[in-house]
PDB file of all heavy atoms in Angstrom:
ATOM      1  N   TYR V  33    -115.658  -5.332  40.502  1.00 95.00           N
ATOM      2  CA  TYR V  33    -114.451  -4.510  40.495  1.00 95.00           C
ATOM      3  C   TYR V  33    -113.327  -5.097  41.337  1.00 95.00           C
ATOM      4  O   TYR V  33    -112.146  -4.984  40.993  1.00 95.00           O
ATOM      5  CB  TYR V  33    -114.763  -3.087  40.972  1.00 95.00           C
ATOM      6  CG  TYR V  33    -113.629  -2.148  40.656  1.00 95.00           C
ATOM      7  CD1 TYR V  33    -113.559  -1.534  39.413  1.00 95.00           C
ATOM      8  CD2 TYR V  33    -112.590  -1.941  41.558  1.00 95.00           C
ATOM      9  CE1 TYR V  33    -112.494  -0.714  39.083  1.00 95.00           C
ATOM     10  CE2 TYR V  33    -111.522  -1.130  41.239  1.00 95.00           C
ATOM     11  CZ  TYR V  33    -111.477  -0.510  40.002  1.00 95.00           C
ATOM     12  OH  TYR V  33    -110.409   0.287  39.674  1.00 95.00           O
ATOM     13  N   HIS V  36    -109.912  -6.599  40.300  1.00 96.00           N
ATOM     14  CA  HIS V  36    -108.717  -5.836  39.921  1.00 96.00           C
ATOM     15  C   HIS V  36    -107.747  -5.607  41.093  1.00 96.00           C
ATOM     16  O   HIS V  36    -106.570  -6.000  41.002  1.00 96.00           O
ATOM     17  CB  HIS V  36    -109.142  -4.527  39.245  1.00 96.00           C
ATOM     18  CG  HIS V  36    -108.050  -3.525  39.103  1.00 96.00           C
ATOM     19  ND1 HIS V  36    -106.948  -3.742  38.300  1.00 96.00           N
ATOM     20  CD2 HIS V  36    -107.864  -2.308  39.677  1.00 96.00           C
ATOM     21  CE1 HIS V  36    -106.143  -2.694  38.386  1.00 96.00           C
ATOM     22  NE2 HIS V  36    -106.673  -1.816  39.212  1.00 96.00           N
ATOM     23  N   PRO V  37    -108.226  -5.012  42.215  1.00 97.00           N
ATOM     24  CA  PRO V  37    -107.278  -4.859  43.340  1.00 97.00           C
ATOM     25  C   PRO V  37    -106.710  -6.190  43.832  1.00 97.00           C
ATOM     26  O   PRO V  37    -105.549  -6.241  44.250  1.00 97.00           O
ATOM     27  CB  PRO V  37    -108.107  -4.182  44.440  1.00 97.00           C
ATOM     28  CG  PRO V  37    -109.422  -3.863  43.872  1.00 97.00           C
ATOM     29  CD  PRO V  37    -109.515  -4.340  42.475  1.00 97.00           C
ATOM     30  N   VAL V  40    -103.917  -7.083  41.534  1.00 97.00           N
ATOM     31  CA  VAL V  40    -102.753  -6.241  41.850  1.00 97.00           C
ATOM     32  C   VAL V  40    -102.040  -6.799  43.082  1.00 97.00           C
ATOM     33  O   VAL V  40    -100.809  -6.876  43.127  1.00 97.00           O
ATOM     34  CB  VAL V  40    -103.196  -4.771  42.069  1.00 97.00           C
ATOM     35  CG1 VAL V  40    -102.045  -3.933  42.618  1.00 97.00           C
ATOM     36  CG2 VAL V  40    -103.713  -4.182  40.758  1.00 97.00           C
ATOM     37  N   HIS V  60    -105.749   0.224  46.743  1.00 95.00           N
ATOM     38  CA  HIS V  60    -105.220   1.339  45.948  1.00 95.00           C
ATOM     39  C   HIS V  60    -106.273   2.172  45.223  1.00 95.00           C
ATOM     40  O   HIS V  60    -106.055   3.338  44.939  1.00 95.00           O
ATOM     41  CB  HIS V  60    -104.139   0.859  44.971  1.00 95.00           C
ATOM     42  CG  HIS V  60    -104.661   0.254  43.701  1.00 95.00           C
ATOM     43  ND1 HIS V  60    -104.957  -1.077  43.589  1.00 95.00           N
ATOM     44  CD2 HIS V  60    -104.956   0.804  42.496  1.00 95.00           C
ATOM     45  CE1 HIS V  60    -105.393  -1.329  42.371  1.00 95.00           C
ATOM     46  NE2 HIS V  60    -105.416  -0.212  41.690  1.00 95.00           N
ATOM     47  N   ASP V  61    -107.448   1.590  44.916  1.00 95.00           N
ATOM     48  CA  ASP V  61    -108.467   2.361  44.205  1.00 95.00           C
ATOM     49  C   ASP V  61    -109.593   2.851  45.108  1.00 95.00           C
ATOM     50  O   ASP V  61    -110.538   3.490  44.633  1.00 95.00           O
ATOM     51  CB  ASP V  61    -109.073   1.517  43.067  1.00 95.00           C
ATOM     52  CG  ASP V  61    -108.210   1.575  41.806  1.00 95.00           C
ATOM     53  OD1 ASP V  61    -107.543   2.605  41.597  1.00 95.00           O
ATOM     54  OD2 ASP V  61    -108.203   0.584  41.046  1.00 95.00           O
ATOM     55  N   ASP V  65    -112.203   5.913  44.174  1.00 90.00           N
ATOM     56  CA  ASP V  65    -113.461   5.423  43.588  1.00 90.00           C
ATOM     57  C   ASP V  65    -114.546   5.050  44.591  1.00 90.00           C
ATOM     58  O   ASP V  65    -115.632   4.650  44.190  1.00 90.00           O
ATOM     59  CB  ASP V  65    -113.186   4.177  42.720  1.00 90.00           C
ATOM     60  CG  ASP V  65    -112.255   4.477  41.571  1.00 90.00           C
ATOM     61  OD1 ASP V  65    -112.152   5.664  41.206  1.00 90.00           O
ATOM     62  OD2 ASP V  65    -111.616   3.542  41.053  1.00 90.00           O
ATOM     63  N   LYS V 129     -97.951   1.134  41.492  1.00 88.00           N
ATOM     64  CA  LYS V 129     -98.527   1.687  40.256  1.00 88.00           C
ATOM     65  C   LYS V 129     -98.196   0.795  39.057  1.00 88.00           C
ATOM     66  O   LYS V 129     -99.020   0.599  38.161  1.00 88.00           O
ATOM     67  CB  LYS V 129     -97.982   3.099  40.048  1.00 88.00           C
ATOM     68  CG  LYS V 129     -98.707   3.905  39.013  1.00 88.00           C
ATOM     69  CD  LYS V 129    -100.120   4.212  39.431  1.00 88.00           C
ATOM     70  CE  LYS V 129    -101.021   4.309  38.217  1.00 88.00           C
ATOM     71  NZ  LYS V 129    -102.446   4.423  38.573  1.00 88.00           N
ATOM     72  N   ASP V 132    -100.485  -2.138  39.151  1.00 94.00           N
ATOM     73  CA  ASP V 132    -101.800  -1.673  38.714  1.00 94.00           C
ATOM     74  C   ASP V 132    -101.848  -1.601  37.191  1.00 94.00           C
ATOM     75  O   ASP V 132    -102.750  -2.127  36.530  1.00 94.00           O
ATOM     76  CB  ASP V 132    -102.035  -0.289  39.353  1.00 94.00           C
ATOM     77  CG  ASP V 132    -103.334   0.354  38.913  1.00 94.00           C
ATOM     78  OD1 ASP V 132    -104.346  -0.375  38.821  1.00 94.00           O
ATOM     79  OD2 ASP V 132    -103.340   1.582  38.687  1.00 94.00           O
ATOM     80  N   ASN V 136    -104.029  -3.782  34.353  1.00 94.00           N
ATOM     81  CA  ASN V 136    -104.874  -3.098  33.380  1.00 94.00           C
ATOM     82  C   ASN V 136    -104.486  -3.447  31.948  1.00 94.00           C
ATOM     83  O   ASN V 136    -105.338  -3.576  31.071  1.00 94.00           O
ATOM     84  CB  ASN V 136    -104.819  -1.576  33.591  1.00 94.00           C
ATOM     85  CG  ASN V 136    -105.630  -1.153  34.810  1.00 94.00           C
ATOM     86  OD1 ASN V 136    -106.587  -1.837  35.181  1.00 94.00           O
ATOM     87  ND2 ASN V 136    -105.244  -0.047  35.426  1.00 94.00           N
TER      88      ASN V 136
HETATM   89 MN1   MN O 601    -106.274   0.340  39.712  1.00 81.40          MN
END
Side-chain angles (χ1 to χ4, degrees):
Y33 194 86
H36 166 65
V40 171
H60 82 272
D61 276 330
D65 299 339
K129 193 66 211 172
D132 176 41
N136 285 333

